[in-house]
Every structure is written in C-alpha cells, then in structure tokens.
Amino acid sequence: MAKKKSAPQAKTAEPQKTEKKLKVSNAISARHILCEKHSKILDAIAELKKNMRFDKVAENYSEDKPKVGGNLGKLNRGSMAGPFQEAAFA
C-alpha cells in the first residue's frame, strides 16, 4: 500500500531561542588612578571627560609609585581587597 501524503502544513515563524550563558571570569585586566584628595580626583575625571587618554591621566594624577599608566595587569579573583574585587568583577 502506498502511504498517503498529508496536506502541507503552514509553518509558523517562531524565532529560535538561543540562550547564551555568560561565563564567570576568574581573572581581569585592571587599570586605576589612585588619588587621596577629592579635588585631584575631580581634576582627573575632568581630563577623562575631555577624552584625554586614560594612561596619560593616570601618569599625571595617580599617587601610586609604579606609574605605568594606571595598569595593574591581570588580577585573579581572590587576590584583591573586598570592595575593589567586588567593583572589578561587577
């Protein structure tokens, strides 16, 4: 016996759901500008808003000793102080 062909069914245009899960990072590259005085912080922020390069602003305003443009390099989760780590991995 021959199989009966069924009538073609209308296809619905449903978008396929492709959910991508973000991977949790265990390491980041970080930069910073360390200033203790509020006025110096505001000056640094003003320079950044004028589109001055971050590394140049860090060299001019940051008070940390190794002035390498504010680059802290690659940091692993668990190797930083609590508040800094929370902000870095937010």
Side-chain angles (χ1 to χ4, degrees), residues 18-61:
T18 56
E19 293 183 22
K20 293 183 181 180
K21 293 185 179 181
L22 297 175
K23 294 181 181 179
V24 176
S25 178
N26 288 321
I28 58 162
S29 293
R31 303 181 300 174
H32 79 152
I33 299 173
L34 179 66
C35 302
E36 289 190 31
K37 293 190 176 189
H38 189 70
S39 60
K40 196 170 184 180
I41 293 167
L42 294 176
D43 291 343
I45 291 170
E47 294 294 331
L48 291 169
K49 287 183 178 180
K50 291 181 198 174
N51 292 325
M52 187 173 188
R53 288 179 37 166
F54 187 93
D55 60 337
K56 297 297 179 195
V57 175
E59 288 174 8
N60 293 336
Y61 290 92

Side-chain angles (χ1 to χ4, degrees), residues 3-17:
K3 290 183 179 180
K4 291 184 180 180
K5 291 185 179 179
S6 59
Q9 296 179 352
K11 293 183 180 179
T12 57
E14 291 182 25
Q16 292 181 351
K17 294 180 181 178

